[in-house]
Amino acid sequence: MHETKDRVRVQITDAEKQRWEVPYDLLPREPSPPLGPATAGGAPFTAGEYPGQDLVFTYGRDPFWFAVHRKSTRQTLFNTSRAPLVFKDQYLEVSTRLPGDAALYGLGENTQPGGIKLRPNDPYTLYTTDASAINLNTDLYGSHPVYVDLRNIGGRGVAHAVLLLNSNGMDVFYTGTSLTYKVIGGLLDFYFFAGPTPLAVVDQYTAMIGRPAPMPYWAFGFHQCRWGYHNLSVVEDVVENYRSAQIPLDVIWNDDDHMDARKDFTLSPVNYPRPKLLAFLNKIHARGMKYIVLIDPGINVNSTYGVYQRGMDRDIFIKLDGQPYLAQVWPGPVYFPDFINPNGASWWIDEVRRFHELVPVDGLWIDMNEASNFCTGKCTIPTTHRCPDPTSKEPWLCCLDCKNITNTRWDEPPYKINASGKSARLGYNTIATSAVHYNGILEYNAHSLYGFSQAIATHKGLQSIQGKRPFILTRSTFVGSGAYAAHWTGDNKGTWEDLRYSISTMLNFGIFGMPMVGSDICGFYPASPPPLEELCSRWIELGAFYPFSRDHANFASPRQELYQWQSVARSARNALGMRYRMLPYLYTLNYQAHLTGAPVARPLFFSFPDFAPCYGVSRQFLLGAGVMVSPVLEQGASSVDAVFPPGTWYNLFDTSKAVVSTGSGAAVRLPAPLNEVNVHVHQGTVLPLQRGGTISRDARATPFTLVVAFPLGAEDADAEGAVYVDDDERPAMVLAEGQATYARFHAAVRGGREVTVLSDVALGSYSMHKGLVIEKITVLGLHGAGKDLAIQVDGADDATAVATSSPYFAAADAAQVLRQGEEEDAVEGEKRGVTMEVGGLALPLGKSFTMTWNMHIEA
C-alpha cells in the first residue's frame, strides 16, 4: 500500500491464518491491506511494478523477491533478491542489498562504542532487556527496528528510512553491503519513508508512529536524583545546597527510597512521613520546583497491601499455567500487571490517582519495565528461607525457588537470538515467554511492548487526574513510546568512555521519535577509582545540553551532586547558566518536535546532509538547526578538536570569537579550559535567549535577547528563527488565542549596510498578558557602528512600544577569528568588532515589529 505520497508499506503474512502483530490499539495506524483469497497465480498482483508518488514497489514471483526504489532517480532503497525469503511460524528471514558507501543509523537500543554510524559486523539484537548500558553492542532496554540510510550521491546527501514493525525478538546482521533480519515470530511489516532529507525522514516516521509528546517547560530545567536519599531530610539538604551554590535546579527526584519496603504507591512512614513530605512539597512548589518519584511495575505479593489486593480482585496479572506469574524484584516476590488488558490499564490508572491523592507528585518515573526479573523460569515462594532476606546486602540475587521451563517452543524456540549478548534464554531475568497476557496473547510475542503499554497507561493516569501536561520518564521503549514519555539511557558508569557513548545513544533516540532524552550525568555506577572531579566537570558541560538533563547515581557511588566540588559547581553554573538562557530555544524545539518530529539534539548531518565529513561525527551534536555543542570528552584535555560544517560559527559564551569554515572537513582545535564548553551558533540563525536564572519558572519571565548571526563580513545575508511560548500546563501543545504565542523572526543585511530585523507574531495575546518583552538584539558578523534606528510595531511607528526604553547602539571589542581552510588553521585578530547590539528596548514579544538601521564604518 502507498499509504502517503512518501510512505509505502509492504506486509508479508500467512494467507491462511491470522499472525501476531503489534496491537492497533497500542500503536494506531492504517489498517493492514486486506487479505483476499489467493488467486490462481498464487499472488493477488498481476503487474510487476506499483508506483506511488515518490516510491515504486516491484517484485518477482519465482524466486520471490521485492524491491523499493525512488521514482525520480530510480535509486534502489531496498532489494531482497540477494537471498531467499524464509517465512516459518517462529523464524522469518529477509535480506537486502546495500551500497558500500551508505551510512546507516538506528537499530536500537544499544550502546555503540563506534559512534552513531552502524558498524559492519557489529551485533544488533532487538529484545527489551534489563542489561545495564555499560554492556556494549548488546540488546538493551528498548526495541526500535528502524534505520536511516544516508547516501552521498554526486555531492548531495539523500536519506530514507526503513521500519520493520515487529515486536518479536530479532537479530539484524549488517555486513556493509547487506542487511539481514532474523526474526522469531510475527510477520514482515515493512514501512519505507522516502525522505529525501534526514528531517523529512523523521517527519514521515513520526507522522506514522506518533509525534513526540509535548513536555512541560520545567522538564527542560535541571534535575537531581540519587538512589540512596534515605530520608526526607537528605532531600531537603540537597535542595538547599543547590540553592546556596546558586546552581540551577528545577526538579528533585526520589528513587525507591520514599517507599514503604519498596512497595509501589506507598510512603515510608519512618523515612518519608506524609505530613513532613507534604510540607516540603508545599515549600518547593511555592518556589516553582517540582518533585518526581519512581514506580516499578512489579506488585509485591502481600495480602495486607491494598494495591495487590485490588489487582487480584480485578484479575489483571500476567499468568503462567492459569496462575499469576511469580517473579522477584526489589520488594521481593511480585506479580506483573498486564497493561494490554483494558482492566489492567484502568486498575493502574486508578492506582496512579490514589497515589496522587497521597502525594501530589509532578511526574512519574517508570523503571524496570522490560520487564526486569531477578529470577528466571517458573518460581514459587520458598518455605525453607525468607525471601527477600532483610539482612541481604545483594537484594538483586534470586531467592525464590525456580526451575527453567524447557518443555515449550516459546521458552526454547528453534532459533536463538543473541539475547543479552550471550544467546541467553528468552526468559532470562524477565517474564517467562510462555506466560500469557489478556486474550491469550503470549509474552513471547508481546515481550518488547511491556514498557510501551505501561507508559500509555501511566500517561492516561497522570493526564486524567492532573488535567495537566504529563511528564513520564521510562526506561523500556518501543516504536511510538516518544508520544507518551521521555527516556534516559539507563545504568551507565562514571567513566570517560560512558561520557562519550552517551552522545550516540541520545542522537539515536532523536531518530527514534523520542527527542526528550539524556544520560545520568556523572555516571550511575561508581567507577574504580571513583569518578574524578574533572569527569563530573566535563559531564555537566555536556549534560547541560542533553534535552533531558539529570544527575543521578546509585547508593554505592560517592555523593556527586554538582555542588560537592568547587570546580564542578563553577562548570555547572557556567554550562547550566547558558542552558537556562537557552530555555526558550529548547522549548521551541520541543514544539517543533511535537509538530514535525524534528529531534531536539541532532547529528550534524541533519543540518548539513551534503557535508559528507560529518556523517560519522559522534563527539559533537546540534541543538535544533544551528547551535553546535563540542564538549571535551578526554581526561586532562584543555582543548577540543571539532569539525565545523561550512560557514561562520560564533562562540555563544563569547561572541567575539568566531570560526570561519570552508567545509574541508579538517578538525579545528579550540581552547577548552576546565570550566568552559564550546557552544557555537551558525550563520543564518536568529536565536532567542532570556536572562536565565536558577528555576525555569522565574527564568521564563525575564526579558528576551535575539542573537542574529550573519556570515562574517556579510554584504547580503539573511537569518531566521522563532520562539514558541505557552501555558505549559495545558495537555495539548497547540497555538490557541490566549494560551500560546508563536513569533517568527527574520533578519536581513543588504549591501553590508542596511539592516532589518522583523517579527511576525501569531496569537500575541498570551505573551502580552505575560508581559514578555525583547530588551536587546545582538547582531554578529557585521562591521561598523549602527545609526539611524527606526522601529515600527504592528505596522505603525508605535512610540508606546519603546516608551519605557531608551534604545542605544553598542559595539564590541576586536574579534578573534579562526579561519579553517585547506591550509593550517590561521588565527587572526580582526581589527574591527563583529558583535554589535541594539539595547534598551522594550518590544512586546506579542506584537509584530520591524526595526531598521544602517551600519556606518568610520574611515
Side-chain angles (χ1 to χ4, degrees):
M1 272 179 82
H2 290 280
E3 292 189 334
T4 67
K5 76 177 188 61
D6 39 39
R7 177 172 91 226
V8 64
R9 180 180 185 183
V10 178
Q11 192 182 83
I12 300 174
T13 187
D14 186 327
E16 305 299 327
K17 71 174 203 280
Q18 188 72 37
R19 298 280 296 173
W20 163 256
E21 56 185 318
V22 176
Y24 281 77
D25 55 350
L26 284 186
L27 187 69
R29 56 200 189 276
E30 300 261 333
S32 298
L35 280 180
T39 55
F45 295 119
T46 51
E49 186 166 290
Y50 291 84
Q53 245 178 294
D54 289 357
L55 299 175
V56 180
F57 169 81
T58 57
Y59 86 108
R61 284 193 200 177
D62 193 13
F64 174 82
W65 59 270
F66 79 87
V68 175
H69 67 256
R70 288 192 194 279
K71 197 174 186 176
S72 55
T73 61
R74 298 202 67 81
Q75 178 199 21
T76 299
L77 309 188
F78 200 86
N79 183 329
T80 70
S81 63
R82 74 174 290 276
L85 171 82
V86 181
F87 198 106
K88 297 183 178 184
D89 188 27
Q90 287 183 266
Y91 184 75
L92 314 177
E93 183 182 320
V94 64
S95 299
T96 178
R97 305 166 190 270
L98 288 168
D101 58 353
L104 266 58
Y105 311 88
L107 297 179
E109 175 179 6
N110 57 28
T111 300
Q112 297 173 198
I116 49 172
K117 255 171 80 170
L118 301 190
R119 289 196 305 197
N121 306 315
D122 272 2
Y124 297 96
T125 298
L126 281 69
Y127 188 71
T128 62
T129 304
D130 176 9
S132 76
I134 61 177
N135 294 288
L136 308 182
N137 292 324
T138 60
D139 44 316
L140 298 182
Y141 314 105
S143 173
H144 294 271
V146 61
Y147 69 86
V148 172
D149 177 333
L150 177 61
R151 305 174 190 180
N152 196 284
I153 298 166
R156 296 299 305 275
V158 181
H160 68 272
V162 179
L163 166 68
L164 171 57
L165 185 60
N166 183 302
S167 63
N168 290 83
M170 68 179 81
D171 288 330
V172 186
F173 295 90
Y174 170 52
T175 66
T177 55
S178 70
L179 190 90
T180 300
Y181 298 90
K182 297 185 177 183
V183 193
I184 59 171
L187 41 74
L188 296 174
D189 200 357
F190 282 105
Y191 291 80
F192 300 92
F193 304 92
T197 64
L199 274 174
V201 164
V202 289
D203 188 1
Q204 294 151 13
Y205 181 57
T206 56
M208 184 250 149
I209 66 165
R211 297 295 192 193
M215 294 289 152
Y217 200 92
W218 53 261
F220 287 92
F222 183 67
H223 303 248
Q224 177 63 50
C225 185
R226 179 182 173 84
W227 182 23
Y229 287 150
H230 292 303
N231 58 45
L232 182 58
S233 62
V234 180
V235 175
E236 291 173 315
D237 280 352
V238 170
V239 170
E240 293 313 311
N241 285 331
Y242 266 95
R243 200 177 192 197
S244 57
Q246 294 185 293
I247 299 170
L249 180 66
D250 257 76
V251 191
I252 185 74
W253 294 56
N254 268 124
D255 201 304
D256 65 9
D257 300 291
H258 65 285
M259 297 180 187
D260 180 18
R262 294 175 157 175
K263 297 193 298 291
D264 276 348
F265 304 119
T266 63
L267 282 180
S268 163
V270 176
N271 297 323
Y272 285 82
R274 183 168 180 253
K276 287 187 174 173
L277 180 58
L278 293 181
F280 168 70
L281 293 186
N282 284 339
K283 180 177 165 184
I284 66 166
H285 282 153
R287 288 183 194 170
M289 287 183 64
K290 306 294 179 184
Y291 178 62
I292 294 175
V293 299
L294 171 133
I295 322 179
D296 291 333
I299 300 300
N300 187 219
V301 178
N302 180 333
S303 58
T304 66
Y305 172 36
V307 179
Y308 166 79
Q309 291 170 329
R310 290 185 289 272
M312 288 299 287
D313 290 346
R314 295 182 68 172
D315 192 23
I316 52 82
F317 296 113
I318 293 170
K319 293 184 176 175
L320 180 68
D321 301 333
Q323 297 298 315
Y325 176 76
L326 184 69
Q328 180 190 333
V329 200
W330 300 114
V334 298
Y335 293 158
F336 287 114
D338 180 7
F339 300 103
I340 295 176
N341 182 338
N343 286 335
S346 62
W347 162 85
W348 182 260
I349 289 165
D350 184 55
E351 294 301 337
V352 168
R353 177 190 61 77
R354 288 166 182 267
F355 181 61
H356 197 267
E357 287 171 4
L358 189 72
V359 191
V361 294
D362 300 289
L364 288 172
W365 173 18
I366 52 176
D367 190 13
M368 306 290 284
N369 51 354
E370 292 73 31
S372 176
N373 179 1
F374 299 161
C375 301
T376 298
K378 186 171 184 177
C379 305
T380 55
I381 294 177
T383 53
T384 55
H385 60 270
R386 292 181 71 180
C387 180
D389 175 357
T391 63
S392 171
K393 294 277 190 285
E394 298 175 305
W396 50 86
L397 297 181
C398 181
C399 57
L400 299 175
D401 288 340
C402 303
K403 60 177 194 290
N404 283 327
I405 307 169
T406 55
N407 59 347
T408 83
R409 63 195 183 106
W410 311 116
D411 297 287
E412 297 286 341
Y415 175 76
K416 282 188 164 40
I417 60 168
N418 190 31
S420 302
K422 55 188 180 191
S423 299
R425 325 195 121 122
L426 287 180
Y428 173 70
N429 284 160
T430 188
I431 299 168
T433 35
S434 53
V436 177
H437 293 251
Y438 173 74
N439 250 357
I441 292 170
L442 280 165
E443 168 70 7
Y444 180 86
N445 291 321
H447 169 84
S448 289
L449 300 174
Y450 193 74
F452 178 38
S453 61
Q454 185 194 15
I456 295 172
T458 308
H459 190 274
K460 280 182 185 156
L462 277 182
Q463 191 157 295
S464 64
I465 48 177
Q466 293 180 302
K468 295 178 185 176
R469 192 173 299 172
F471 179 82
I472 296 152
L473 186 72
T474 182
R475 191 167 76 177
S476 185
T477 62
F478 187 70
V479 175
S481 287
Y484 304 94
H487 176 63
W488 91 107
T489 65
D491 298 346
N492 61 1
K493 198 170 188 175
T495 72
W496 292 92
E497 290 76 18
D498 285 70
L499 173 69
R500 288 193 284 278
Y501 303 154
S502 72
I503 297 177
S504 296
T505 310
M506 168 184 74
L507 295 178
N508 267 330
F509 271 86
I511 290 170
F512 298 153
M514 287 198 86
M516 193 61 167
V517 58
S519 293
D520 288 345
I521 291 168
C522 302
F524 176 72
Y525 293 122
S528 47
L532 302 163
E533 205 173 314
E534 182 193 356
L535 173 68
C536 219
S537 242
R538 293 307 192 187
W539 210 319
I540 187 56
E541 289 170 4
L542 164 59
F545 301 99
Y546 293 154
F548 172 64
S549 182
R550 184 183 73 155
D551 180 320
H552 180 43
N554 95 0
F555 62 88
S557 301
R559 291 290 291 267
Q560 60 186 43
E561 293 85 3
L562 302 176
Y563 54 75
Q564 297 287 352
W565 305 271
Q566 286 303 317
S567 66
V568 177
R570 199 154 50 245
S571 296
R573 283 189 291 269
N574 188 48
L576 288 171
M578 180 57 77
R579 180 189 182 90
Y580 273 60
R581 291 196 67 204
M582 287 174 65
L583 283 175
Y585 179 65
L586 292 171
Y587 193 65
T588 302
L589 292 177
N590 176 222
Y591 175 63
Q592 290 167 349
H594 183 55
L595 288 186
T596 69
V600 176
R602 315 174 182 175
L604 272 56
F605 66 76
F606 265 69
S607 284
F608 304 96
D610 301 342
F611 182 55
C614 76
Y615 287 6
V617 170
S618 307
R619 293 165 160 253
Q620 299 163 253
F621 58 94
L622 296 173
L623 290 171
V627 174
M628 185 166 72
V629 183
S630 307
V632 169
L633 303 171
E634 255 92 27
Q635 187 171 357
S638 57
S639 64
V640 63
D641 292 338
V643 173
F644 281 86
T648 308
W649 296 83
Y650 300 92
N651 184 321
L652 263 184
F653 290 93
D654 178 357
T655 53
S656 70
K657 294 177 180 171
V659 174
V660 180
S661 169
T662 57
S664 70
V668 177
R669 181 153 292 177
L670 302 170
L674 181 60
N675 302 119
E676 294 181 22
V677 57
N678 279 278
V679 180
H680 288 80
V681 62
H682 191 230
Q683 67 183 49
T685 306
V686 177
L687 183 68
L689 302 177
Q690 282 171 288
R691 287 184 185 175
T694 55
I695 290 181
S696 67
R697 185 189 70 180
D698 301 337
R700 69 181 302 196
T702 61
F704 282 81
T705 293
L706 300 183
V707 177
V708 176
F710 288 127
L712 185 67
E715 289 289 311
D716 297 288
D718 295 87
E720 54 191 28
V723 69
Y724 172 86
V725 291
D726 74 353
D727 168 7
D728 68 315
E729 294 207 329
R730 287 181 310 119
M733 197 178 210
V734 290
L735 267 178
E737 192 62 72
Q739 297 177 330
T741 295
Y742 188 64
R744 280 192 176 84
F745 304 112
H746 184 259
V749 59
R750 295 294 179 258
R753 289 174 58 85
E754 297 168 24
V755 183
T756 307
V757 180
L758 58 85
S759 79
D760 177 15
V761 175
L763 308 183
S765 65
Y766 172 79
S767 290
M768 297 302 290
H769 171 67
K770 290 289 180 185
L772 297 174
V773 296
I774 297 166
E775 65 175 347
K776 192 192 299 182
I777 294 178
T778 302
V779 180
L780 311 178
L782 302 185
H783 297 312
K787 290 191 175 162
D788 318 321
L789 181 68
I791 301 173
Q792 285 188 318
V793 175
D794 268 349
D797 287 316
D798 187 351
T800 60
V802 287
T804 55
S805 65
S806 43
Y808 63 83
F809 285 109
D813 299 333
Q816 294 174 297
V817 178
L818 193 63
R819 293 190 184 275
Q820 178 261 325
E822 304 302 324
E823 304 300 314
E824 287 297 299
D825 300 334
V827 179
E828 44 182 78
E830 286 270 340
K831 301 278 190 297
R832 304 165 297 187
V834 295
T835 302
M836 59 89 62
E837 65 183 41
V838 187
L841 303 170
L843 293 167
L845 185 70
K847 290 198 170 185
S848 298
F849 68 81
T850 303
M851 182 183 297
T852 57
W853 69 87
N854 290 312
M855 299 301 295
H856 288 262
I857 297 175
E858 303 297 330

